[in-house]
Amino acid sequence: MSFLSVCLNPTLQKTLRFSSIAPDGVNRTEFHRLDASGKGINVSRVLSQLGKNVIHLTQLGGVMQPLFLSLCEEDSLAVEWVQSNSQIRFCYTLINEKDLTITELVEESEPVEAGTEQRLMEKFESLVLNGCSASNDQPAFEYLIISGTKAAGYSDTVVPLMVQKAKKNGIKVILDVKGKDLIDSLQYKPDIIKPNLYEFASTFAPELVRNNELTGDETETKERIKTTMLDIYQKFGCRTILTRGSKKIWAADEETFFEVDFMAVKPVNTTGCGDAFTAGLASALGDGATFSEAITEGVRCGSLNAGLLRPGVVKS
């Protein structure tokens, strides 16, 4: 079995751990690390650590391109990419051990150059149709996983078109995307959508969101979200999983809405937990697990990631 993981927003992730952080002052740390990242790379790395065959598809460019590929090679990740002539963005995780806070600083991506989307779709179609990469003889993909937002410069059709082509070729699809990319992809009946609760609400129930936060009565919010999840299944045959941080997971399968409780762990670094969940979910489904069993495996992988300093891993 093989997985194709797509993310159109590659990242170099800098993780810095401080014993404490003094606002408006100079803060120094001896602990810092750099990793190839972005939601799709995190998914790919965890799948690889779980022993699965996975190919990652993205765009790359700029002076950090060789570094990014070198870091992927260190993780034994198979990466297929097209030239974008845009610099790879940096994102930062600041871990404050004194007050146990984890702060994310996110750079927006540069626009990809004209022609990148065409090159990407040609590469995507080659992978999907041939079931192999240019350099590795791989079996046909069973799952396509698309994660995260896309860089500026891509059209609104690129994500839905990948979903359409994958489903046409008998490939199951898991989406961890939001907004228009998610809405426009539903018509092609992805198998599972897995945004977090805020992303889902901002996409399908924006009246519940104000000042970048969910508002209103919790019971009414739950009922509104539940109704929408079940409606999506009725219209598109698509199952929904909503992660909610340390709270119970909400899921909808056919005509059933259910919650999945789990034991919260003391986090070391929460960056990549959702991606580890997605990878665990996909891995279990590929092994024949039920929907509920696969969610449990997703929780296990997300918890393992939370207990490690490095983002997007289940093994140190």
Side-chain angles (χ1 to χ4, degrees):
M1 177 189 306
S2 189
F3 298 82
L4 177 59
S5 171
V6 176
C7 180
L8 304 182
N9 219 342
T11 303
L12 286 164
Q13 187 83 27
K14 190 82 171 183
T15 303
L16 303 100
R17 183 178 64 187
F18 299 86
S19 57
S20 64
I21 296 178
D24 300 320
V26 176
N27 294 271
R28 300 181 185 275
T29 178
E30 293 183 354
F31 179 85
H32 48 85
R33 64 170 300 124
L34 181 68
D35 293 282
S37 192
K39 293 180 70 64
I41 281 287
N42 294 339
V43 168
S44 299
R45 186 160 48 229
V46 172
L47 279 170
S48 179
Q49 290 185 345
L50 292 172
K52 304 303 181 184
N53 294 320
V54 55
I55 292 176
H56 183 75
L57 175 63
T58 190
Q59 81 279 350
L60 298 173
V63 297
M64 295 299 176
Q65 174 186 306
L67 174 60
F68 185 92
L69 290 172
S70 175
L71 292 170
C72 290
E73 186 177 356
E74 289 179 11
D75 288 329
S76 300
L77 296 180
V79 179
E80 293 287 336
W81 58 280
V82 298
Q83 180 61 246
S84 64
N85 284 318
S86 55
Q87 298 291 341
I88 300 170
R89 64 179 183 156
F90 277 81
C91 294
Y92 306 84
T93 301
L94 309 182
I95 301 171
N96 186 344
E97 293 183 320
K98 182 177 181 179
D99 60 10
L100 302 179
T101 57
I102 301 168
T103 303
E104 286 290 315
L105 305 177
V106 179
E107 290 184 5
E108 295 293 350
S109 59
E110 290 187 3
V112 299
E113 72 170 4
T116 301
E117 183 170 332
Q118 180 179 347
R119 293 191 290 272
L120 181 97
M121 288 308 302
E122 289 172 354
K123 177 78 72 172
F124 177 83
E125 290 178 6
S126 174
L127 290 167
V128 166
L129 293 176
N130 298 328
C132 63
S133 71
S135 56
N136 298 287
D137 185 16
Q138 296 283 350
F141 302 108
E142 184 168 354
Y143 280 90
L144 165 67
I145 305 168
I146 305 177
S147 308
T149 58
K150 60 184 182 294
Y154 281 108
S155 75
D156 288 336
T157 63
V158 63
V159 171
L161 186 58
M162 285 191 285
V163 176
Q164 179 189 33
K165 290 181 180 295
K167 294 294 292 184
K168 184 178 179 181
N169 285 277
I171 300 172
K172 300 180 182 71
V173 177
I174 299 174
L175 295 180
D176 184 4
V177 300
K178 62 182 179 179
K180 188 170 176 59
D181 287 337
L182 178 52
I183 291 171
D184 291 352
S185 293
L186 286 176
Q187 62 185 307
Y188 303 115
K189 300 184 177 180
D191 296 84
I192 296 173
I193 60 173
K194 195 224 74 88
N196 61 40
L197 174 60
Y198 175 80
E199 292 168 338
F200 186 86
S202 61
T203 299
F204 296 105
E207 71 277 8
L208 299 177
V209 177
R210 183 177 303 166
N211 297 325
N212 296 321
E213 292 183 357
L214 285 173
T215 60
D217 179 77
E218 185 173 343
T219 301
E220 293 178 0
T221 295
K222 180 179 179 180
E223 190 60 32
R224 173 74 169 87
I225 295 297
K226 172 183 174 180
T227 299
T228 304
M229 293 167 70
L230 293 173
D231 186 54
I232 287 173
Y233 187 88
Q234 288 298 314
K235 290 181 178 179
F236 307 106
C238 175
R239 295 176 288 184
T240 301
I241 301 169
L242 303 183
T243 52
R244 304 192 302 139
S246 61
K247 297 181 180 179
K248 293 179 181 179
I249 292 166
W250 291 349
D253 184 12
E254 299 184 5
E255 297 180 356
T256 304
F257 171 89
F258 61 97
E259 296 178 284
V260 179
D261 201 1
F262 57 92
M263 184 177 294
V265 300
K266 182 179 179 180
V268 176
N269 184 3
T270 55
T271 303
C273 286
D275 309 322
F277 179 101
T278 301
L281 174 84
S283 174
L285 289 171
D287 287 340
T290 65
F291 187 50
S292 180
E293 290 169 342
I295 292 174
T296 298
E297 175 63 3
V299 169
R300 185 185 77 87
C301 291
S303 297
L304 287 173
N305 181 91
L308 298 169
L309 278 167
R310 191 181 183 198
V313 293
V314 292
K315 299 178 182 179
S316 57

